[in-house]
Amino acid sequence: MAKAKVGIAKNPKSGFWHNQAGVTYDALGDSQSAVKELKLASTLDPSNPGDDYALYALYKRKAMHSQQRQVLLDALEKYPNNPVGRFEFAHILEEEKHWADSLREYQVAKRLAASVKGSMYTDLRGNPFDIDGVREEVDKAIDRVAKLGKSAQPQK
């Protein structure tokens, strides 16, 4: 935290240092300060989805559904080709019982993950995302949502 505070003191408009402060506050259990710093980081560096994903992770842990949904959409607006982001959004849609939309997003996540060489997707800002989990879970998710979607259709 000391490094982040020094960085902010030297450059109060640094999205990087506010991100570092937010991540540190989150690790220390101060969610309110973490949210404040991560939102500020995102405002100061609006083209960097890393701040949005850090905030998304916090909201997800706190089960703040509407906030996590919105911040994930903000991140995907910046970089729509992130297979991890697409997979997470598909999961949100699945929780909301939007079967067709969820299935589509899982399929997009699968296609995007397949196009990445190695286990890391790196966005244009250099933010790394481990996609092994997407590759391991996406087929099961596609099967599950396809079945849920079929069972939700009215029987003839």
Side-chain angles (χ1 to χ4, degrees):
M1 185 52 110
K3 273 187 171 181
K5 287 183 177 182
V6 168
I8 291 169
K10 287 182 182 177
N11 185 356
K13 294 188 187 250
S14 169
F16 171 80
W17 286 116
H18 285 283
N19 173 289
Q20 295 302 295
V23 170
T24 303
Y25 277 127
D26 188 26
L28 295 171
D30 184 349
S31 299
Q32 187 175 359
S33 295
V35 167
K36 178 183 159 213
E37 290 293 339
L38 291 168
K39 282 183 175 183
L40 182 55
S42 184
T43 300
L44 292 169
D45 192 0
S47 68
N48 187 355
D51 304 320
D52 297 326
Y53 281 108
L55 194 52
Y56 168 75
L58 185 153
Y59 287 149
K60 184 176 179 181
R61 280 191 315 279
K62 298 287 185 186
M64 299 170 73
H65 184 81
S66 63
Q67 293 89 339
Q68 77 184 59
R69 185 186 210 284
Q70 185 56 55
V71 77
L72 187 56
L73 284 172
D74 293 344
L76 286 170
E77 188 174 306
K78 295 169 188 173
Y79 288 101
N81 293 329
N82 183 332
V84 176
R86 289 293 188 163
F87 184 86
E88 291 292 332
F89 187 55
H91 182 73
I92 287 172
L93 292 169
E94 180 180 353
E95 288 179 338
E96 295 173 351
K97 299 180 176 23
H98 297 295
W99 311 124
D101 293 333
S102 175
L103 181 60
R104 182 192 69 245
E105 288 295 325
Y106 279 130
Q107 290 167 337
V108 170
K110 181 177 179 173
R111 180 179 48 79
L112 291 171
S115 70
V116 176
K117 289 180 173 57
S119 63
M120 298 301 284
Y121 165 78
T122 305
D123 68 21
L124 297 175
R125 290 293 303 268
N127 298 306
F129 298 86
D130 185 336
I131 59 169
D132 286 341
V134 172
R135 288 178 174 151
E136 291 170 11
E137 297 296 323
V138 73
D139 286 329
K140 290 182 263 187
I142 288 170
D143 290 344
R144 180 180 63 245
V145 171
K147 287 176 186 172
L148 288 167
K150 283 182 184 176
S151 69
Q153 292 177 353
Q155 301 299 318
K156 294 179 183 181

